Amino acid sequence: MIDQAQALRHLVHSKDLGSARTTRVITVTSGKGGVGKSNFSLNFAMALQSRGYSVLVFDADISFANIDVLLGTPAKYNLMHLLKGEKTIWEIIQVGPGGLQFIAGGSGFQDLVRLSEQELEYFSEQIGKLHGHVDFILFDTGAGLSKETVRFITAAEETIVVTTPEPTSITDAYALIKMLKSMGHQISFRLVVNRVTDEREGNQTADNIRQVASKYLGLEIPVLGYIPDDSSVSKAVKRQTPLSIAFPNSDATRGIDRITSRFLLEDRGSTPVGGVSSFLQRIKKLWS
């Protein structure tokens, strides 16, 4: 039987993506935990992939790394094996349902801050190999403003902030955006509102954040859309199966599909930001 790493190498090399294509690096984050950020990351990736894009989900949540659990695919290797030089980037990439590629993180990200110059160079060289082999790398970061999360957000330059209509979630989402803005970082924010009861609540939540950000921070934050509160989400989690596979016709799945369509429509004709090379240059500066 062809092993997973060999199958993955065949997959990425068989696609005529070309080295000139810019791989987009996007972080998905939230002001607080429990808003459905990881579920969104996973199903947003699945929706992009269903439209013909190649996507890699990188679990960068130090405290609650769970992408492999949500996929029902125990990770044989994770980031730690790469940092220790035991495995290559191709060997730590796992393949989940629907052929979705992902890298399990766990405690490995804490070790990034202690990497020697030689180890950081190896990490960068290995991540750099992903350029041109996937269209999108999605970093599912930890909630809040840990040093590691801030570094990944600022290195990627593109960030999707997930919130819910709960007052604490709204406040924390705005606080995260305000803090990053006050640090002088130029980041392209976009907003997703999860678990809304109806369209009105979704729009009102988004408008609250947008208006305050515009008035006090001088930021215009596009809204990608909202996702209905749907019991199918928790059922999919219990099944350890992506929502779009377990419940393809659910309200939440349709909400994510609309968000994905809007994301791609807004990007049509625009010049991709950064890319893997720029991301790595900023990461090396931030970790030096």
Side-chain angles (χ1 to χ4, degrees):
M1 175 183 282
I2 300 176
D3 65 21
Q4 190 179 63
Q6 184 178 345
L8 178 63
R9 286 192 292 271
H10 175 74
L11 172 68
V12 296
H13 287 295
S14 65
K15 292 187 177 183
D16 184 21
L17 295 175
S19 59
R21 174 171 290 189
T22 298
T23 296
R24 297 273 293 280
V25 181
I26 301 172
T27 54
V28 181
T29 193
S30 61
K32 66 186 293 289
V35 301
K37 169 184 57 62
S38 294
N39 253 310
F40 170 75
S41 297
L42 171 60
N43 289 287
F44 179 55
M46 297 289 288
L48 285 169
Q49 188 166 275
S50 71
R51 288 161 169 78
Y53 294 93
S54 178
V55 186
L56 171 67
V57 177
F58 210 130
D59 196 341
D61 190 334
I62 294 172
S63 301
F64 301 102
N66 61 2
I67 290 294
D68 57 332
V69 176
L70 294 174
L71 284 167
T73 307
K76 186 176 182 180
Y77 303 117
N78 56 40
L79 177 66
M80 183 65 71
H81 295 94
L82 179 69
L83 297 180
K84 289 183 176 180
E86 297 174 357
K87 298 295 178 182
T88 66
I89 189 66
W90 305 122
E91 292 171 314
I92 69 167
I93 295 177
Q94 312 292 295
V95 180
L100 182 68
Q101 302 169 50
F102 72 96
I103 292 177
S107 61
F109 276 93
Q110 294 173 326
D111 292 278
L112 278 173
V113 297
R114 296 189 290 270
L115 291 183
S116 66
E117 185 175 342
Q118 183 178 358
E119 289 170 331
L120 183 58
E121 194 62 38
Y122 177 73
F123 169 78
S124 299
E125 183 262 333
Q126 288 294 305
I127 297 297
K129 292 179 182 293
L130 295 173
H131 177 71
H133 291 299
V134 288
D135 296 293
F136 295 95
I137 299 176
L138 298 182
F139 280 95
D140 179 40
T141 73
L145 280 170
S146 70
K147 289 187 291 186
E148 292 80 12
T149 295
V150 169
R151 285 165 174 162
F152 275 97
I153 292 174
T154 55
E157 289 189 317
E158 292 186 78
T159 292
I160 295 174
V161 180
V162 181
T163 187
T164 70
E166 294 179 0
T168 54
S169 180
I170 295 172
T171 301
D172 288 345
Y174 174 72
L176 180 144
I177 294 169
K178 179 181 178 180
M179 179 63 70
L180 289 166
K181 170 70 172 177
S182 70
M183 295 169 70
H185 300 301
Q186 299 299 315
I187 301 167
S188 174
F189 293 104
R190 302 189 202 196
L191 189 64
V192 166
V193 185
N194 193 22
R195 298 177 186 160
V196 305
T197 55
D198 52 34
E199 182 178 359
R200 179 182 178 184
E201 185 177 53
N203 291 332
Q204 184 175 19
T205 301
D207 287 344
N208 287 341
I209 296 176
R210 291 184 72 248
Q211 289 173 8
V212 176
S214 177
K215 181 177 181 179
Y216 295 105
L217 304 179
L219 289 176
E220 299 300 324
I221 302 178
V223 179
L224 290 176
Y226 62 89
I227 304 168
D229 193 10
D230 187 345
S231 62
S232 297
V233 177
S234 61
K235 291 177 183 177
V237 171
K238 291 176 182 177
R239 293 187 187 184
Q240 293 185 271
T241 304
L243 177 70
S244 57
I245 293 178
F247 301 100
N249 297 315
S250 66
D251 289 341
T253 297
R254 287 195 288 267
I256 293 171
D257 281 339
R258 289 192 295 269
I259 286 170
T260 306
S261 295
R262 184 164 186 173
F263 171 83
L264 294 172
L265 182 63
E266 289 182 354
D267 280 2
R268 187 175 297 173
S270 63
T271 303
V273 178
V276 175
S277 297
S278 297
F279 170 78
L280 290 173
Q281 288 174 7
R282 289 187 290 272
I283 276 288
K284 290 168 77 171
K285 281 184 179 180
L286 291 165
W287 251 282
S288 60

